[in-house]
Amino acid sequence: MASYSRTKRIAEEIRKVISTMLISGIKDPRINSMVSVTDVEVTSDLSYAYVYVSILGGDEESTLQGLRSAVSYIRREVSKNVKLRHTPQIIFKVDDSIKNGMYMDDLIRKVNNGATASTIDEEEFDEE
């Protein structure tokens, strides 16, 4: 149980460092300001850190390439700020949960608007 708690704490620290870097530290023009770190998962042996990023606006593929090209710089900064014997390899993955949530919200609104319109039609029909 202690190792699980430790990996969660380390993942949170890595998330904080990378989030700060995305705001102010990375100068790659492919990485726009609409990139945010949604989650970090660290393997139990601390060899890999999967960093889930949400990319809103801009070209998703070029932003991901920019992040992957800056991974050695990001890992070096994580090493400076998070005191570990071995800094995990950082692997960026796209997190589509925000985009999927917006899509589902849009679908729910369309269904509700359709239900409202059909209810209104039925009420008008009953009045005649």
Side-chain angles (χ1 to χ4, degrees), residues 32-89:
N32 61 12
S33 62
M34 295 299 288
V35 177
S36 61
V37 178
T38 56
D39 192 23
V40 175
E41 291 180 357
V42 179
T43 57
S44 60
D45 62 352
L46 303 177
S47 59
Y48 296 99
Y50 297 99
V51 180
Y52 294 93
V53 293
S54 176
I55 303 168
L56 297 175
D59 185 21
E60 188 174 286
E61 191 59 37
S62 69
T63 303
L64 198 56
Q65 286 175 352
L67 288 170
R68 287 180 179 155
S69 69
V71 76
S72 60
Y73 171 68
I74 293 170
R75 186 174 182 213
R76 187 169 43 249
E77 291 299 313
V78 167
S79 174
K80 289 178 186 176
N81 292 304
V82 181
K83 301 299 180 198
L84 294 172
R85 195 172 293 159
H86 299 286
T87 305
Q89 292 285 345

Side-chain angles (χ1 to χ4, degrees), residues 7-128:
T7 57
K8 284 186 79 164
R9 285 194 318 262
I10 292 170
E12 183 62 24
E13 289 300 316
I14 291 172
R15 187 191 67 75
K16 287 177 187 176
V17 170
I18 295 175
S19 294
T20 304
M21 289 180 67
L22 286 175
I23 293 171
S24 62
I26 300 175
K27 304 273 189 266
D28 194 328
R30 294 176 288 187
I31 302 170
N32 61 12
S33 62
M34 295 299 288
V35 177
S36 61
V37 178
T38 56
D39 192 23
V40 175
E41 291 180 357
V42 179
T43 57
S44 60
D45 62 352
L46 303 177
S47 59
Y48 296 99
Y50 297 99
V51 180
Y52 294 93
V53 293
S54 176
I55 303 168
L56 297 175
D59 185 21
E60 188 174 286
E61 191 59 37
S62 69
T63 303
L64 198 56
Q65 286 175 352
L67 288 170
R68 287 180 179 155
S69 69
V71 76
S72 60
Y73 171 68
I74 293 170
R75 186 174 182 213
R76 187 169 43 249
E77 291 299 313
V78 167
S79 174
K80 289 178 186 176
N81 292 304
V82 181
K83 301 299 180 198
L84 294 172
R85 195 172 293 159
H86 299 286
T87 305
Q89 292 285 345
I90 296 173
I91 300 169
F92 286 101
K93 293 187 174 190
V94 176
D95 184 11
D96 290 333
S97 62
I98 294 174
K99 194 184 305 181
N100 290 341
M102 290 170 46
Y103 175 72
M104 293 299 291
D105 186 50
D106 187 45
L107 286 178
I108 290 170
R109 287 178 194 218
K110 286 180 181 177
V111 167
N112 285 339
N113 288 340
T116 307
S118 66
T119 307
I120 292 171
D121 291 341
E122 290 176 9
E123 290 175 0
E124 290 177 359
F125 182 73
D126 290 339
E127 289 178 4
E128 294 176 359

